[in-house]
């Protein structure tokens, strides 16, 4: 394992183990910043809120093994709810928050969800329509999470989790049929995260800048979990950016080292950013590209337009492998086939 992948976390069995380590050893370090809101959350605050949410979920009768659908945009509450559920062994199932009622209903039924968590003022009508024929399911609103304060010193010691416990249900896009829930254990996720960290050589000194959605594996596992593991600061932008230049402005402002996008994200930069004045990507040393065929023309145009070197890490993944099935190592020359597509490396 590379030296950038912390040896002292090699014994972590669950994502909750990682959070506990970070809140003890890096309490004051900023974990993530919401770019448009200028709001930051430290590892200490993450741990406190995860416990607060876990306690509130428990007070509502949720228990180890229950499933909970999460419908939230990119926001701090997503982190608290997702990891708060895991804290007590509840299995979260994050989905696109603007999903139509039939898709939500299908996932609720398929997962056997005991609850839906979200913002009812934003998605209330969708949730109401989706659960009309699902008796007994709870609807929990973000606004309720501070209603019951966790007792001081409460440590959830009665919740036993290990690497084989389900961490979350990752639903496929459903582009070729009904969405399917992939059951991912903590061991699945940490194994994949460690591989990503090794390929990209992440370290606590890095800064990641992402506009990838949190309900999608590339954003959730590839960015949220890998940066958590290595205590990388994460700068988050909303996935519905009106101007792709905002992403690169954030990279410039925070001197981002780690970025990622499907090929179309880099193509948007090539096509839609006419004036590169004020943009400085010299800090970027790793640019993950995946989720669709990767074009050599896209990479070369981006390198030339934004004056970056050999930063691309081509990758291929699918939900059934957590996120990353194979990827090139950082600082390797790209390999192009006769059709202009890029090799994504060894498994």
């Amino acid at each position: 394992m590379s030296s950038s992948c912390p040896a002292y976390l090699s014994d972590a069995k669950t994502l909750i183990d990682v959070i506990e380590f970070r809140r003890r050893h890096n309490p004051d370090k900023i974990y993530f910043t919401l770019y448009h809101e200028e709001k930051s959350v430290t590892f200490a605050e993450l741990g406190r809120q995860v416990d607060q949410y876990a306690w509130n979920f428990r007070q509502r009768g949720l228990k180890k093994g229950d499933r909970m659908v999460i419908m939230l945009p990119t926001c701090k509450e997503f982190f608290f709810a997702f990891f708060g559920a895991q804290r007590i062994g509840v299995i979260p199932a994050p989905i696109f928050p603007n999903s139509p009622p039939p898709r939500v209903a299908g996932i609720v039924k398929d997962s056997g969800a005991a609850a839906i968590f979200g913002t009812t003022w934003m998605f209330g009508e969708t949730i109401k329509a989706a659960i009309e024929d699902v008796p007994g399911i709870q609807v929990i609103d973000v606004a309720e999470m501070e209603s019951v304060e966790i007792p001081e010193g409460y440590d959830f010691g009665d919740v036993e989790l290990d690497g084989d416990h389900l961490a979350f249900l990752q639903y496929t896009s459903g582009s070729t049929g009904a969405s399917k829930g992939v059951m991912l254990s903590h061991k699945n996720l940490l194994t994949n995260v460690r591989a990503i960290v090794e390929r990209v050589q992440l370290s606590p000194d890095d800064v990641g800048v992402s506009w990838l959605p949190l309900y999608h594996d590339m954003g959730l596992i590839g960015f949220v979990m890998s940066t958590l593991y290595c205590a990388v600061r994460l700068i988050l932008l909303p996935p519905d950016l009106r101007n792709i230049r905002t992403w690169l402005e954030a990279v410039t402002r925070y001197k981002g080292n780690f970025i990622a996008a499907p090929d179309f994200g880099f193509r948007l930069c090539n096509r839609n950013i006419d004036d590169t004045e004020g943009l400085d990507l010299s800090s970027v040393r790793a640019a993950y590209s995946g989720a669709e065929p990767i074009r050599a023309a896209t990479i070369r145009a981006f390198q030339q337009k934004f004056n970056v070197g050999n930063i691309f890490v081509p990758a291929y993944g699918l939900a059934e492998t957590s996120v990353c099935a194979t990827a090139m190592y950082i600082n390797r020359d790209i390999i192009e086939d006769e059709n202009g597509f890029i090799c994504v490396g060894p498994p």
Side-chain angles (χ1 to χ4, degrees):
M1 185 66 69
S2 162
S3 60
S4 68
C5 192
Y8 42 78
L9 277 177
S10 61
D11 292 335
K13 299 294 192 296
T14 70
L15 291 167
I16 299 304
D17 291 340
V18 178
I19 290 175
E20 286 302 303
F21 183 92
R22 290 292 166 221
R23 76 190 297 187
R24 290 196 306 270
H25 294 273
N26 310 95
D28 298 325
K29 183 172 183 179
I30 292 175
Y31 171 32
F32 65 86
T33 297
L34 300 174
Y35 183 72
H36 287 312
E37 299 179 28
E38 298 289 343
K39 293 180 180 178
S40 297
V41 171
T42 64
F43 285 109
E45 177 67 5
L46 174 69
R48 189 189 75 79
Q49 290 288 355
V50 164
D51 285 353
Q52 175 69 22
Y53 274 53
W55 173 257
N56 273 272
F57 291 149
R58 174 169 275 190
Q59 298 311 297
R60 285 161 175 76
L62 295 180
K63 60 187 183 303
K64 183 178 178 180
D66 285 343
R67 284 88 187 280
M68 181 176 72
V69 171
I70 296 178
M71 294 178 61
L72 286 175
T74 296
C75 59
K76 63 183 187 298
E77 289 82 7
F78 181 97
F79 290 77
F80 306 155
F82 183 84
F83 292 120
Q86 291 183 346
R87 190 75 176 85
I88 57 171
V90 170
I91 303 160
I95 65 172
F96 177 44
N98 289 315
S99 295
R103 182 170 190 266
V104 178
I107 290 174
V108 166
K109 293 174 183 177
D110 180 74
S111 66
I116 295 182
F117 183 84
T119 53
T120 55
W121 69 269
M122 187 180 295
F123 308 117
E125 291 303 314
T126 296
I127 293 173
K128 182 179 178 181
I131 64 173
E132 281 181 340
D133 59 345
V134 185
I137 189 169
Q138 289 193 67
V139 177
I140 306 175
D141 191 278
V142 168
E144 301 172 21
M145 285 298 99
E146 298 294 335
S147 61
V148 181
E149 284 290 332
I150 183 172
E152 186 175 352
Y154 192 84
D155 65 0
F156 299 97
D158 58 320
V159 181
E160 295 184 3
L161 300 175
D162 59 29
D164 293 324
H165 187 78
L166 281 186
F168 81 105
L169 297 178
Q170 179 167 269
Y171 273 86
T172 59
S173 62
S175 55
T176 59
S179 297
K180 298 175 178 63
V182 178
M183 298 186 293
L184 296 174
S185 69
H186 286 276
K187 184 187 295 184
N188 292 146
L189 296 171
L190 286 175
T191 298
N192 214 244
V193 163
R194 286 165 178 146
I196 292 170
V197 167
E198 184 180 19
R199 289 292 202 272
V200 182
Q201 296 288 289
L202 284 179
S203 81
D205 296 326
D206 285 329
V207 175
V209 184
S210 175
W211 54 275
L212 301 172
L214 301 184
Y215 55 82
H216 188 272
D217 53 6
M218 195 173 182
L220 181 55
I221 305 172
F223 250 86
V224 167
M225 295 181 192
S226 62
T227 54
L228 171 68
Y229 190 82
C230 282
V232 171
R233 184 177 181 181
L234 180 56
I235 310 300
L236 289 171
L237 295 87
D240 56 344
L241 287 176
R242 295 182 181 275
N243 186 346
I244 195 66
R245 182 187 173 94
T246 307
W247 178 35
L248 302 191
E249 289 175 345
V251 173
T252 300
R253 175 179 173 183
Y254 287 97
K255 300 186 185 306
N257 314 109
F258 176 38
I259 61 176
D263 189 83
F264 81 81
F266 295 106
R267 290 202 311 274
L268 283 174
C269 293
N270 295 336
R271 184 172 64 241
N272 294 350
I273 300 177
D274 296 322
D275 182 7
T276 62
E277 185 176 354
L279 298 178
D280 180 4
L281 306 191
S282 60
S283 60
V284 179
R285 59 176 192 78
Y288 238 91
S289 182
E292 63 181 9
I294 305 165
R295 298 162 175 81
T298 301
I299 290 178
R300 293 195 180 101
F302 191 92
Q303 289 173 322
Q304 181 176 359
K305 186 163 194 171
F306 299 102
N307 193 29
V308 295
N310 193 12
I311 63 172
F312 279 88
V313 181
Y316 168 76
L318 63 165
E320 290 80 359
T321 62
S322 298
V323 63
C324 185
T326 179
M328 294 292 285
Y329 282 87
I330 194 172
N331 297 325
R332 301 289 176 88
D333 292 333
I334 61 173
I335 302 172
E336 179 183 355
D337 70 10
E338 65 275 11
N339 297 312
F341 293 109
I342 295 300
C343 171
V344 294

